[in-house]
Protein backbone atom coordinates (compact mmCIF):
# COMPACT_ATOMS: atom_id res chain seq x y z
CA UNK A 1 0.00 0.00 0.00
CA UNK A 2 1.28 3.46 -0.90
CA UNK A 3 1.98 5.90 1.92
CA UNK A 4 -0.13 9.06 2.07
CA UNK A 5 1.60 12.38 1.55
CA UNK A 6 0.67 15.98 2.21
CA UNK A 7 2.18 18.80 0.16
CA UNK A 8 3.34 21.63 2.42
CA UNK A 9 4.65 24.05 -0.20
CA UNK A 10 6.01 24.33 -3.73
CA UNK A 11 7.93 26.52 -6.09
CA UNK A 12 6.45 26.00 -9.57
CA UNK A 13 8.78 24.04 -11.87
CA UNK A 14 11.42 23.90 -9.14
CA UNK A 15 10.44 21.81 -6.10
CA UNK A 16 7.67 20.27 -4.00
CA UNK A 17 7.86 19.81 -0.22
CA UNK A 18 6.00 16.81 1.21
CA UNK A 19 5.21 15.51 4.69
CA UNK A 20 4.38 11.94 5.63
CA UNK A 21 3.81 11.71 9.37
CA UNK A 22 6.91 13.21 11.01
CA UNK A 23 9.03 12.85 7.87
CA UNK A 24 9.63 15.58 5.29
CA UNK A 25 10.68 15.03 1.68
CA UNK A 26 11.67 17.37 -1.11
CA UNK A 27 11.26 16.61 -4.80
CA UNK A 28 13.55 18.79 -6.90
CA UNK A 29 13.39 19.23 -10.66
CA UNK A 30 16.90 18.95 -12.11
CA UNK A 31 18.72 18.35 -15.37
CA UNK A 32 19.60 20.25 -18.48
CA UNK A 33 19.04 18.26 -21.66
CA UNK A 34 16.91 15.67 -19.86
CA UNK A 35 14.71 16.84 -16.99
CA UNK A 36 14.24 14.55 -13.99
CA UNK A 37 13.34 14.75 -10.31
CA UNK A 38 15.37 13.92 -7.24
CA UNK A 39 13.53 13.01 -4.04
CA UNK A 40 15.40 13.47 -0.78
CA UNK A 41 14.29 12.91 2.82
CA UNK A 42 15.05 15.95 4.96
CA UNK A 43 17.23 15.36 7.99
CA UNK A 44 15.93 16.48 11.39
CA UNK A 45 18.22 19.53 11.16
CA UNK A 46 16.87 20.42 7.70
CA UNK A 47 13.27 20.02 8.88
CA UNK A 48 14.05 22.31 11.84
CA UNK A 49 15.59 24.91 9.51
CA UNK A 50 12.45 24.74 7.36
CA UNK A 51 10.26 25.25 10.44
CA UNK A 52 12.36 28.28 11.39
CA UNK A 53 13.01 29.87 7.97
CA UNK A 54 10.20 28.55 5.76
CA UNK A 55 10.25 28.67 1.97
CA UNK A 56 13.51 30.63 1.81
CA UNK A 57 15.39 27.69 3.32
CA UNK A 58 13.72 25.16 1.00
CA UNK A 59 14.66 27.32 -2.02
CA UNK A 60 18.29 27.17 -0.88
CA UNK A 61 18.17 23.42 -0.21
CA UNK A 62 16.57 22.76 -3.61
CA UNK A 63 19.32 24.79 -5.26
CA UNK A 64 21.97 22.76 -3.46
CA UNK A 65 20.37 19.51 -4.58
CA UNK A 66 19.89 20.72 -8.16
CA UNK A 67 23.43 22.00 -8.64
CA UNK A 68 25.24 19.24 -6.76
CA UNK A 69 23.07 16.11 -7.10
CA UNK A 70 26.01 13.75 -6.54
CA UNK A 71 26.38 15.15 -3.00
CA UNK A 72 22.80 14.05 -2.23
CA UNK A 73 22.92 10.78 -4.21
CA UNK A 74 23.10 8.57 -1.11
CA UNK A 75 19.99 10.30 0.29
CA UNK A 76 17.89 10.07 -2.87
CA UNK A 77 14.85 7.85 -2.54
CA UNK A 78 14.63 5.49 -5.48
CA UNK A 79 11.12 4.76 -6.71
CA UNK A 80 9.62 7.45 -4.45
CA UNK A 81 6.47 7.61 -6.58
CA UNK A 82 5.89 3.87 -6.15
CA UNK A 83 6.17 4.02 -2.35
CA UNK A 84 4.29 7.30 -1.79
CA UNK A 85 0.97 8.46 -3.24
CA UNK A 86 2.27 11.59 -4.96
CA UNK A 87 -0.65 11.76 -7.41
CA UNK A 88 -3.32 12.02 -4.68
CA UNK A 89 -1.27 14.64 -2.83
CA UNK A 90 -0.96 16.70 -6.02
CA UNK A 91 -4.68 16.48 -6.72
CA UNK A 92 -5.48 17.58 -3.14
CA UNK A 93 -2.93 20.45 -3.34
CA UNK A 94 -4.19 21.76 -6.70
CA UNK A 95 -7.89 21.84 -5.71
Amino acid sequence: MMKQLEILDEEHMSWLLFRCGDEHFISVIAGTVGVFTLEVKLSNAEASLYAKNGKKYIDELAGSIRYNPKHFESRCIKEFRLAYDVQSALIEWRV
Side-chain angles (χ1 to χ4, degrees), residues 14 27-39 65-66 69:
S14 180
S27 179
V28 178
I29 297 173
T32 51
V33 175
V35 177
F36 57 95
T37 62
L38 298 165
E39 285 78 29
I65 294 168
R66 182 176 299 111

Side-chain angles (χ1 to χ4, degrees), residues 14-72:
S14 180
W15 55 263
L16 284 162
L17 182 66
F18 299 99
R19 179 174 58 208
C20 180
D22 293 336
E23 298 177 318
H24 292 78
F25 304 91
I26 186 170
S27 179
V28 178
I29 297 173
T32 51
V33 175
V35 177
F36 57 95
T37 62
L38 298 165
E39 285 78 29
V40 175
K41 180 181 173 186
L42 272 64
S43 67
N44 290 339
E46 290 165 338
S48 293
L49 285 167
Y50 165 66
K52 183 178 177 184
N53 301 312
K55 193 170 189 170
K56 180 180 184 298
Y57 173 72
I58 297 301
D59 277 332
E60 293 169 4
L61 178 61
S64 296
I65 294 168
R66 182 176 299 111
Y67 297 115
N68 194 3
K70 290 219 180 288
H71 179 75
F72 292 87

Side-chain angles (χ1 to χ4, degrees), residues 2 5 7 16 18 80-81 84-91:
M2 294 169 82
L5 288 172
I7 296 177
L16 284 162
F18 299 99
F80 182 78
R81 292 170 189 271
Y84 294 90
D85 191 359
V86 173
Q87 190 65 32
S88 292
L90 284 168
I91 291 167

